[in-house]
Structures are given as C-alpha cells and as structure tokens.
Amino acid sequence: MAAMQVDFDNFIGRSWDRLDLSERELLYGSYIAREIYTPQTLPLQRIEAIGDSVEACVAKLQERNLDPLNFEFVRVDPPY
C-alpha cells in the first residue's frame, strides 16, 4: 500500500478546533504553530505552520516573515 501524500498547505490558516477527526489523524505526530494568546492580540488560534519538528515550523514561519517568538508549538496527539 502506497503512503498517502498530505498537502499540509491546505491546513494553514485554519482553526485547529474546526478540523474533523480524519484531518486530525493526518496531522498526528506533526508539530503545528499557533499564535500565542494575549489579551492584546486575541488570536484566532489558526494553524500558521506545520512540520516534523519545532525547527521546521520556525523555518516555515520565517519564510513568511512571521516572528516565531509570537507562536506556540504543539505536537499533535492522536485525536482519540
């Protein structure tokens, strides 16, 4: 059985809370970057980067001229 290719770019800008079970399963084991909540920013907690490591997420944020210090990095656990 061939491994399925996942286009992680389809998840960028989406809210983690709105992903369905099958989408969360696709991201299992990856890291996601979400903007850190502060009362001043009230971010929407959208996924801004996905990678196999925190370093990969940082690189993707920097490619988009986003400051990695404004983000939290979370390893995606199994959805159940």
Side-chain angles (χ1 to χ4, degrees), residues 3-70:
M4 188 166 81
Q5 282 293 95
V6 179
D7 185 5
F8 290 127
D9 290 341
N10 291 330
F11 294 96
I12 303 301
R14 295 186 55 199
S15 171
W16 172 253
D17 295 329
R18 297 198 178 225
L19 298 181
D20 64 32
L21 182 63
S22 63
E23 291 172 320
R24 289 179 185 222
E25 285 177 339
L26 290 173
L27 296 177
Y28 169 62
S30 299
Y31 286 84
I32 62 171
R34 300 183 298 195
E35 189 174 3
I36 295 173
Y37 170 83
T38 68
Q40 293 78 23
T41 62
L42 294 175
L44 298 174
Q45 292 291 293
R46 291 187 177 135
I47 298 170
E48 295 296 342
I50 301 171
D52 293 330
S53 65
V54 171
E55 292 82 5
C57 287
V58 167
K60 290 179 181 186
L61 291 170
Q62 290 173 331
E63 287 172 9
R64 296 176 51 211
N65 293 319
L66 298 172
D67 184 354
L69 295 177
N70 294 328

